[in-house]
Amino acid sequence: MGCCNRRCGLIAGAVFGALVAILGGVLIPLGNSVIEGTVEKEAVIEPGTTAYENWVATGAKVYRQFWFFDVKNPLEVLDYGARPVVIEKGPYTYITRYLPKENITFNPNNTISFLLPMGAIFEPSMSVGSEEDNVTSLNLAVAYNGTYDGYYNVYNGKDDIKKVSVIDRWRGKRSLTFWNDTYCDMLNGTDATSFPPFIDKKKPLFFFSSDICRSVSASYVNTMDLKGIDVYRYSLLPSTLASPVDNPDNHCFCRDFKTTKNCTLAGVLDISSCQDGRPIYISLPHFLHGSPSLREGVLGLNPVEVYHDTYLDVEPTTGFTLRFAKRIQVNMMYGPSANITVLKKVKDYTIFPLVWLNETAALDDETADMFKRELFSRIKLLEMIQQGLLGAGVALFVICLISYFVVRRNVH
């Protein structure tokens, strides 16, 4: 009778363990559903959500650092057509994006309109000199934007969370007017400060940058730890500024066959069409990923990917960009001219680097702790409960089942 009771107890224990394991298994999709619901609710851009608080004003300090290219042989360039020799001078650092968005308007079609102020405060402690330092270069007046960026219209995600932060219109239009081509004039993605939640690292992230007058994409590189938070690092691919020979999608960004060597030049983007016709070219610093001829035309450049690449560190569950480094270089084109006396000795068209900038920001300790406390701690607790129930249930089931067969064999 005792053995029977023991066997019955072991069978009951195995059944109970199986039920606990099943409960843990059931909680996995249920828990995931709860997590998704919470994230989607907080990712909507409307008053009272985490996304809205971070969207209205940048919590972390955003720094914009400038390195100017100082020409060491200006007379030789003008008198003999020599190649310019440059030395990098910087950084000169400014705090920017410290002003909250202005003229925020909620529209009936689940979009929000706003202006982005472009203030800047000089930070002497992070600079090599003062704003009065002299630099020998071409005319820099053609390189800086106005005091506002926008108007922007972005989706708030209330009707479709997959569209949250995606740009609907910029300056009142759903496409750009710079490139005279449907593909190149696309407004694609967000402004890169955030993306729709639940990031799939197999897919690129698209964003629009008014600094370069076009939309671009970034691809997953690796997963990194940022103050105890796992983030996906995304970076621009070399194909972004590749020549149309290597990336046919870029054919409509080639504007001048003569200066781009029949559109075979890689690494630069002619943005004269959005700079009132001024010969401005955008590239990565030191012509990173650019054609060798760009660095051969100007001496003193040394591209290093870790210092000169652009990247975004995105938290995959929320889609928030928690750290970024936007690095771009502003260049001017100059070349032989019979009309401009100082350029008569110049032998060939040269894309000359004026300045490169590094705009960076990263979440501070307080914001990181808030993220971990308000979101990730709950997710981890739920995952621990799920895994604990599943593990304990399976262990109890296996132990009871083995014990049952041992007892049964001993009886016989």
Side-chain angles (χ1 to χ4, degrees):
M1 191 70 174
C3 289
C4 181
N5 289 338
R6 189 184 301 173
R7 290 200 300 270
C8 290
L10 291 172
I11 291 173
V15 171
F16 179 73
L19 291 175
V20 170
I22 291 170
L23 177 62
V26 168
L27 279 179
I28 291 176
L30 180 61
N32 291 342
S33 178
V34 171
I35 292 170
E36 289 179 10
T38 302
V39 171
E40 289 179 4
K41 181 181 177 182
E42 290 300 313
V44 171
I45 305 175
E46 64 178 1
T49 66
T50 303
Y52 186 77
E53 293 175 6
N54 288 278
W55 178 82
V56 171
T58 304
K61 285 187 177 179
V62 180
Y63 295 99
R64 181 171 277 203
Q65 299 176 297
F66 295 86
W67 283 264
F68 295 93
F69 291 100
D70 194 17
V71 183
K72 307 313 294 181
N73 61 337
L75 295 181
E76 288 85 351
V77 173
L78 297 177
D79 293 344
Y80 306 107
R83 287 184 294 176
V85 178
V86 297
I87 293 181
E88 195 178 80
K89 193 173 183 178
Y92 295 88
T93 305
Y94 293 80
I95 300 174
T96 185
R97 296 201 204 179
Y98 56 89
L99 297 170
K101 293 178 172 66
E102 293 183 6
N103 295 11
I104 297 174
T105 305
F106 292 87
N107 305 311
N109 65 340
N110 288 315
T111 63
I112 310 171
S113 306
F114 64 92
L115 277 174
L116 187 63
M118 302 292 284
I121 301 174
F122 186 63
E123 181 55 69
S125 66
M126 299 175 65
S127 304
V128 297
S130 71
E131 292 181 287
E132 285 71 40
D133 287 357
N134 292 320
V135 176
T136 302
S137 184
L138 297 181
N139 180 15
L140 291 175
V142 298
Y144 301 102
N145 289 327
T147 55
Y148 287 96
D149 183 18
Y151 271 97
Y152 282 90
N153 266 49
V154 301
Y155 290 98
N156 63 12
K158 197 166 185 178
D159 62 333
D160 184 358
I161 199 63
K162 294 179 181 178
K163 294 168 65 176
V164 67
S165 297
V166 172
I167 298 171
D168 172 47
R169 300 169 188 258
W170 182 66
R171 294 182 178 177
K173 297 182 179 179
R174 285 201 166 98
S175 62
L176 304 174
T177 58
F178 305 130
W179 308 105
N180 296 321
D181 182 90
T182 302
Y183 176 82
C184 285
D185 278 327
M186 282 195 303
L187 273 172
N188 223 356
T190 73
D191 66 355
T193 57
S194 65
F195 298 89
F198 310 112
I199 301 292
D200 181 356
K201 63 185 178 184
K202 295 179 182 178
K203 298 179 180 179
L205 295 179
F206 293 91
F207 59 94
F208 166 70
S209 173
S210 61
D211 287 328
I212 63 173
C213 310
R214 62 165 287 191
S215 300
V216 295
S217 65
S219 296
Y220 171 83
V221 178
N222 55 18
T223 300
M224 308 184 70
D225 180 274
L226 175 60
K227 298 183 185 294
I229 300 171
D230 284 342
V231 293
Y232 288 173
R233 171 154 292 188
Y234 283 80
S235 182
L236 298 182
L237 295 177
S239 59
T240 303
L241 294 177
S243 75
V245 174
D246 298 313
N247 182 5
D249 287 341
N250 284 344
H251 75 280
C252 40
F253 293 120
C254 182
R255 311 287 293 176
D256 189 322
F257 285 86
K258 189 172 185 179
T259 58
T260 61
K261 305 182 188 304
N262 292 323
C263 294
T264 62
L265 196 65
V268 291
L269 176 68
D270 178 0
I271 63 168
S272 58
S273 57
C274 67
Q275 291 289 328
D276 298 322
R278 290 170 293 202
I280 304 299
Y281 287 72
I282 294 294
S283 69
L284 291 176
H286 289 242
F287 297 125
L288 178 67
H289 303 321
S291 296
S293 62
L294 293 169
R295 292 184 295 278
E296 293 166 0
V298 179
L299 303 180
L301 302 178
N302 181 33
V304 179
E305 189 154 3
V306 69
Y307 298 125
H308 301 142
D309 196 17
T310 287
Y311 67 81
L312 307 167
D313 288 344
V314 183
E315 197 290 305
T317 303
T318 62
F320 295 160
T321 300
L322 301 186
R323 179 171 59 188
F324 69 87
K326 181 173 72 173
R327 295 156 174 165
I328 59 175
Q329 181 171 293
V330 180
N331 313 277
M332 279 190 69
M333 170 72 74
Y334 74 91
S337 174
N339 300 320
I340 303 177
T341 305
V342 295
L343 296 178
K344 281 187 175 180
K345 298 291 185 178
V346 175
K347 300 179 179 63
D348 197 5
Y349 287 98
T350 301
I351 296 180
F352 179 80
L354 300 175
V355 58
W356 75 269
L357 63 90
N358 178 27
E359 186 172 277
T360 60
L363 84 167
D364 52 29
D365 292 336
E366 183 180 352
T367 306
D369 290 339
M370 183 275 292
F371 260 89
K372 289 184 282 191
R373 181 179 63 253
E374 298 296 330
L375 179 62
F376 303 121
S377 61
R378 298 178 186 179
I379 294 174
K380 288 182 180 178
L381 177 61
L382 189 56
E383 288 176 346
M384 288 173 61
I385 293 173
Q386 295 168 351
Q387 293 169 3
L389 288 173
L390 186 60
V394 170
L396 183 60
F397 175 79
V398 171
I399 291 171
C400 288
L401 198 60
I402 292 174
S403 299
Y404 169 80
F405 285 113
V406 169
V407 170
R408 184 178 178 185
R409 187 178 62 181
N410 291 338
V411 170
H412 294 291

PDB file of all heavy atoms in Angstrom, residues 16 28 32 40 71 103-104 162 171 234 239 249 261 269 300 316 340 373 390 400:
ATOM      1  N   PHE A  16       2.088  17.545 -11.856  1.00  0.00           N
ATOM      2  CA  PHE A  16       2.169  18.927 -11.383  1.00  0.00           C
ATOM      3  C   PHE A  16       3.339  19.656 -12.047  1.00  0.00           C
ATOM      4  O   PHE A  16       3.214  20.818 -12.468  1.00  0.00           O
ATOM      5  CB  PHE A  16       2.334  18.947  -9.853  1.00  0.00           C
ATOM      6  CG  PHE A  16       2.457  20.326  -9.284  1.00  0.00           C
ATOM      7  CD1 PHE A  16       1.367  21.167  -9.206  1.00  0.00           C
ATOM      8  CD2 PHE A  16       3.697  20.795  -8.831  1.00  0.00           C
ATOM      9  CE1 PHE A  16       1.490  22.448  -8.682  1.00  0.00           C
ATOM     10  CE2 PHE A  16       3.825  22.064  -8.314  1.00  0.00           C
ATOM     11  CZ  PHE A  16       2.718  22.899  -8.232  1.00  0.00           C
ATOM     12  N   ILE A  28       5.196  32.669 -21.807  1.00  0.00           N
ATOM     13  CA  ILE A  28       6.157  33.280 -22.732  1.00  0.00           C
ATOM     14  C   ILE A  28       5.450  34.133 -23.785  1.00  0.00           C
ATOM     15  O   ILE A  28       5.718  35.325 -23.893  1.00  0.00           O
ATOM     16  CB  ILE A  28       7.056  32.208 -23.379  1.00  0.00           C
ATOM     17  CG1 ILE A  28       7.988  31.610 -22.316  1.00  0.00           C
ATOM     18  CG2 ILE A  28       7.871  32.798 -24.530  1.00  0.00           C
ATOM     19  CD1 ILE A  28       8.847  30.473 -22.802  1.00  0.00           C
ATOM     20  N   ASN A  32       5.308  38.154 -23.629  1.00  0.00           N
ATOM     21  CA  ASN A  32       5.756  38.933 -24.774  1.00  0.00           C
ATOM     22  C   ASN A  32       4.684  39.913 -25.237  1.00  0.00           C
ATOM     23  O   ASN A  32       4.980  41.038 -25.629  1.00  0.00           O
ATOM     24  CB  ASN A  32       6.154  38.010 -25.926  1.00  0.00           C
ATOM     25  CG  ASN A  32       7.417  37.229 -25.623  1.00  0.00           C
ATOM     26  OD1 ASN A  32       8.174  37.587 -24.737  1.00  0.00           O
ATOM     27  ND2 ASN A  32       7.638  36.143 -26.348  1.00  0.00           N
ATOM     28  N   GLU A  40       4.634  49.577 -26.965  1.00  0.00           N
ATOM     29  CA  GLU A  40       3.873  50.295 -27.977  1.00  0.00           C
ATOM     30  C   GLU A  40       3.136  51.492 -27.384  1.00  0.00           C
ATOM     31  O   GLU A  40       3.060  52.557 -27.996  1.00  0.00           O
ATOM     32  CB  GLU A  40       2.889  49.344 -28.662  1.00  0.00           C
ATOM     33  CG  GLU A  40       3.577  48.321 -29.570  1.00  0.00           C
ATOM     34  CD  GLU A  40       2.586  47.376 -30.227  1.00  0.00           C
ATOM     35  OE1 GLU A  40       1.374  47.568 -30.036  1.00  0.00           O
ATOM     36  OE2 GLU A  40       3.036  46.459 -30.944  1.00  0.00           O
ATOM     37  N   VAL A  71      45.185  75.686 -44.668  1.00  0.00           N
ATOM     38  CA  VAL A  71      46.085  75.536 -45.822  1.00  0.00           C
ATOM     39  C   VAL A  71      47.461  76.100 -45.477  1.00  0.00           C
ATOM     40  O   VAL A  71      47.587  77.266 -45.095  1.00  0.00           O
ATOM     41  CB  VAL A  71      45.516  76.251 -47.062  1.00  0.00           C
ATOM     42  CG1 VAL A  71      46.425  76.029 -48.274  1.00  0.00           C
ATOM     43  CG2 VAL A  71      44.114  75.749 -47.374  1.00  0.00           C
ATOM     44  N   ASN A 103       6.596  75.269 -31.944  1.00  0.00           N
ATOM     45  CA  ASN A 103       5.380  75.243 -32.783  1.00  0.00           C
ATOM     46  C   ASN A 103       4.839  73.828 -32.958  1.00  0.00           C
ATOM     47  O   ASN A 103       4.449  73.428 -34.060  1.00  0.00           O
ATOM     48  CB  ASN A 103       5.646  75.866 -34.154  1.00  0.00           C
ATOM     49  CG  ASN A 103       5.963  77.352 -34.064  1.00  0.00           C
ATOM     50  OD1 ASN A 103       6.175  77.884 -32.979  1.00  0.00           O
ATOM     51  ND2 ASN A 103       6.002  78.026 -35.202  1.00  0.00           N
ATOM     52  N   ILE A 104       4.812  73.066 -31.863  1.00  0.00           N
ATOM     53  CA  ILE A 104       4.308  71.687 -31.921  1.00  0.00           C
ATOM     54  C   ILE A 104       2.794  71.703 -32.136  1.00  0.00           C
ATOM     55  O   ILE A 104       2.053  72.319 -31.370  1.00  0.00           O
ATOM     56  CB  ILE A 104       4.653  70.928 -30.627  1.00  0.00           C
ATOM     57  CG1 ILE A 104       6.183  70.831 -30.472  1.00  0.00           C
ATOM     58  CG2 ILE A 104       4.039  69.535 -30.635  1.00  0.00           C
ATOM     59  CD1 ILE A 104       6.626  70.223 -29.160  1.00  0.00           C
ATOM     60  N   LYS A 162       4.205  51.018 -36.243  1.00  0.00           N
ATOM     61  CA  LYS A 162       5.292  50.813 -37.186  1.00  0.00           C
ATOM     62  C   LYS A 162       5.663  52.106 -37.926  1.00  0.00           C
ATOM     63  O   LYS A 162       6.701  52.170 -38.582  1.00  0.00           O
ATOM     64  CB  LYS A 162       4.927  49.729 -38.205  1.00  0.00           C
ATOM     65  CG  LYS A 162       4.785  48.338 -37.594  1.00  0.00           C
ATOM     66  CD  LYS A 162       4.403  47.314 -38.648  1.00  0.00           C
ATOM     67  CE  LYS A 162       4.236  45.934 -38.019  1.00  0.00           C
ATOM     68  NZ  LYS A 162       3.817  44.917 -39.018  1.00  0.00           N
ATOM     69  N   ARG A 171       9.105  70.563 -44.711  1.00  0.00           N
ATOM     70  CA  ARG A 171       8.814  71.860 -45.321  1.00  0.00           C
ATOM     71  C   ARG A 171       7.546  71.803 -46.161  1.00  0.00           C
ATOM     72  O   ARG A 171       7.458  72.400 -47.242  1.00  0.00           O
ATOM     73  CB  ARG A 171       9.996  72.343 -46.159  1.00  0.00           C
ATOM     74  CG  ARG A 171      11.233  72.641 -45.317  1.00  0.00           C
ATOM     75  CD  ARG A 171      12.382  73.179 -46.161  1.00  0.00           C
ATOM     76  NE  ARG A 171      13.537  73.490 -45.321  1.00  0.00           N
ATOM     77  CZ  ARG A 171      14.712  73.913 -45.780  1.00  0.00           C
ATOM     78  NH1 ARG A 171      14.890  74.062 -47.093  1.00  0.00           N
ATOM     79  NH2 ARG A 171      15.700  74.184 -44.953  1.00  0.00           N
ATOM     80  N   TYR A 234      24.448  50.713 -35.722  1.00  0.00           N
ATOM     81  CA  TYR A 234      24.212  50.820 -37.159  1.00  0.00           C
ATOM     82  C   TYR A 234      25.181  51.840 -37.738  1.00  0.00           C
ATOM     83  O   TYR A 234      25.485  52.854 -37.120  1.00  0.00           O
ATOM     84  CB  TYR A 234      22.773  51.280 -37.441  1.00  0.00           C
ATOM     85  CG  TYR A 234      21.745  50.188 -37.264  1.00  0.00           C
ATOM     86  CD1 TYR A 234      21.293  49.841 -35.997  1.00  0.00           C
ATOM     87  CD2 TYR A 234      21.232  49.501 -38.361  1.00  0.00           C
ATOM     88  CE1 TYR A 234      20.354  48.836 -35.827  1.00  0.00           C
ATOM     89  CE2 TYR A 234      20.295  48.499 -38.198  1.00  0.00           C
ATOM     90  CZ  TYR A 234      19.852  48.172 -36.930  1.00  0.00           C
ATOM     91  OH  TYR A 234      18.926  47.176 -36.769  1.00  0.00           O
ATOM     92  N   SER A 239      28.602  51.930 -49.699  1.00  0.00           N
ATOM     93  CA  SER A 239      27.741  52.095 -50.879  1.00  0.00           C
ATOM     94  C   SER A 239      26.889  53.366 -50.819  1.00  0.00           C
ATOM     95  O   SER A 239      26.361  53.805 -51.837  1.00  0.00           O
ATOM     96  CB  SER A 239      26.825  50.876 -51.038  1.00  0.00           C
ATOM     97  OG  SER A 239      26.015  50.703 -49.886  1.00  0.00           O
ATOM     98  N   ASP A 249      21.879  52.859 -57.816  1.00  0.00           N
ATOM     99  CA  ASP A 249      20.849  53.677 -57.176  1.00  0.00           C
ATOM    100  C   ASP A 249      21.292  55.131 -57.002  1.00  0.00           C
ATOM    101  O   ASP A 249      20.451  56.024 -56.836  1.00  0.00           O
ATOM    102  CB  ASP A 249      20.494  53.099 -55.791  1.00  0.00           C
ATOM    103  CG  ASP A 249      19.671  51.822 -55.893  1.00  0.00           C
ATOM    104  OD1 ASP A 249      19.074  51.585 -56.968  1.00  0.00           O
ATOM    105  OD2 ASP A 249      19.623  51.060 -54.914  1.00  0.00           O
ATOM    106  N   LYS A 261      34.178  63.155 -62.992  1.00  0.00           N
ATOM    107  CA  LYS A 261      34.863  62.212 -63.898  1.00  0.00           C
ATOM    108  C   LYS A 261      33.872  61.189 -64.464  1.00  0.00           C
ATOM    109  O   LYS A 261      34.005  59.981 -64.285  1.00  0.00           O
ATOM    110  CB  LYS A 261      36.016  61.519 -63.178  1.00  0.00           C
ATOM    111  CG  LYS A 261      37.022  62.480 -62.541  1.00  0.00           C
ATOM    112  CD  LYS A 261      38.168  61.762 -61.876  1.00  0.00           C
ATOM    113  CE  LYS A 261      39.053  62.724 -61.086  1.00  0.00           C
ATOM    114  NZ  LYS A 261      39.588  63.837 -61.872  1.00  0.00           N
ATOM    115  N   LEU A 269      29.133  63.921 -52.306  1.00  0.00           N
ATOM    116  CA  LEU A 269      27.769  64.202 -52.744  1.00  0.00           C
ATOM    117  C   LEU A 269      27.663  65.678 -53.071  1.00  0.00           C
ATOM    118  O   LEU A 269      27.885  66.543 -52.217  1.00  0.00           O
ATOM    119  CB  LEU A 269      26.776  63.834 -51.631  1.00  0.00           C
ATOM    120  CG  LEU A 269      25.300  64.168 -51.892  1.00  0.00           C
ATOM    121  CD1 LEU A 269      24.749  63.289 -53.016  1.00  0.00           C
ATOM    122  CD2 LEU A 269      24.478  63.985 -50.620  1.00  0.00           C
ATOM    123  N   GLY A 300      47.662  65.713 -46.838  1.00  0.00           N
ATOM    124  CA  GLY A 300      47.495  65.909 -45.396  1.00  0.00           C
ATOM    125  C   GLY A 300      46.280  65.218 -44.823  1.00  0.00           C
ATOM    126  O   GLY A 300      45.977  65.376 -43.640  1.00  0.00           O
ATOM    127  N   PRO A 316      16.983  48.151 -29.273  1.00  0.00           N
ATOM    128  CA  PRO A 316      16.110  47.450 -30.225  1.00  0.00           C
ATOM    129  C   PRO A 316      14.658  47.306 -29.798  1.00  0.00           C
ATOM    130  O   PRO A 316      13.785  47.198 -30.659  1.00  0.00           O
ATOM    131  CB  PRO A 316      16.781  46.074 -30.370  1.00  0.00           C
ATOM    132  CG  PRO A 316      17.579  45.898 -29.117  1.00  0.00           C
ATOM    133  CD  PRO A 316      18.026  47.265 -28.722  1.00  0.00           C
ATOM    134  N   ILE A 340      38.479  84.023 -63.299  1.00  0.00           N
ATOM    135  CA  ILE A 340      38.901  84.304 -61.936  1.00  0.00           C
ATOM    136  C   ILE A 340      40.424  84.281 -61.899  1.00  0.00           C
ATOM    137  O   ILE A 340      41.053  83.221 -62.027  1.00  0.00           O
ATOM    138  CB  ILE A 340      38.324  83.263 -60.962  1.00  0.00           C
ATOM    139  CG1 ILE A 340      36.788  83.229 -61.070  1.00  0.00           C
ATOM    140  CG2 ILE A 340      38.737  83.588 -59.527  1.00  0.00           C
ATOM    141  CD1 ILE A 340      36.128  82.181 -60.210  1.00  0.00           C
ATOM    142  N   ARG A 373      15.222  50.794 -14.980  1.00  0.00           N
ATOM    143  CA  ARG A 373      14.248  50.643 -13.901  1.00  0.00           C
ATOM    144  C   ARG A 373      12.823  50.519 -14.428  1.00  0.00           C
ATOM    145  O   ARG A 373      12.060  49.640 -14.009  1.00  0.00           O
ATOM    146  CB  ARG A 373      14.351  51.851 -12.960  1.00  0.00           C
ATOM    147  CG  ARG A 373      13.400  51.799 -11.768  1.00  0.00           C
ATOM    148  CD  ARG A 373      13.576  53.008 -10.880  1.00  0.00           C
ATOM    149  NE  ARG A 373      13.248  54.260 -11.548  1.00  0.00           N
ATOM    150  CZ  ARG A 373      14.127  55.166 -11.944  1.00  0.00           C
ATOM    151  NH1 ARG A 373      15.425  54.960 -11.745  1.00  0.00           N
ATOM    152  NH2 ARG A 373      13.748  56.280 -12.549  1.00  0.00           N
ATOM    153  N   LEU A 390       9.207  27.416 -16.119  1.00  0.00           N
ATOM    154  CA  LEU A 390       9.492  26.394 -17.126  1.00  0.00           C
ATOM    155  C   LEU A 390      10.577  25.438 -16.632  1.00  0.00           C
ATOM    156  O   LEU A 390      10.428  24.206 -16.716  1.00  0.00           O
ATOM    157  CB  LEU A 390       9.926  27.060 -18.429  1.00  0.00           C
ATOM    158  CG  LEU A 390      10.122  26.151 -19.655  1.00  0.00           C
ATOM    159  CD1 LEU A 390       8.829  25.424 -19.995  1.00  0.00           C
ATOM    160  CD2 LEU A 390      10.599  26.960 -20.850  1.00  0.00           C
ATOM    161  N   CYS A 400      10.397  13.356 -10.771  1.00  0.00           N
ATOM    162  CA  CYS A 400       9.289  12.504 -10.335  1.00  0.00           C
ATOM    163  C   CYS A 400       9.125  11.291 -11.253  1.00  0.00           C
ATOM    164  O   CYS A 400       8.856  10.175 -10.804  1.00  0.00           O
ATOM    165  CB  CYS A 400       7.990  13.298 -10.272  1.00  0.00           C
ATOM    166  SG  CYS A 400       7.928  14.482  -8.902  1.00  0.00           S
TER     167      CYS A 400
END
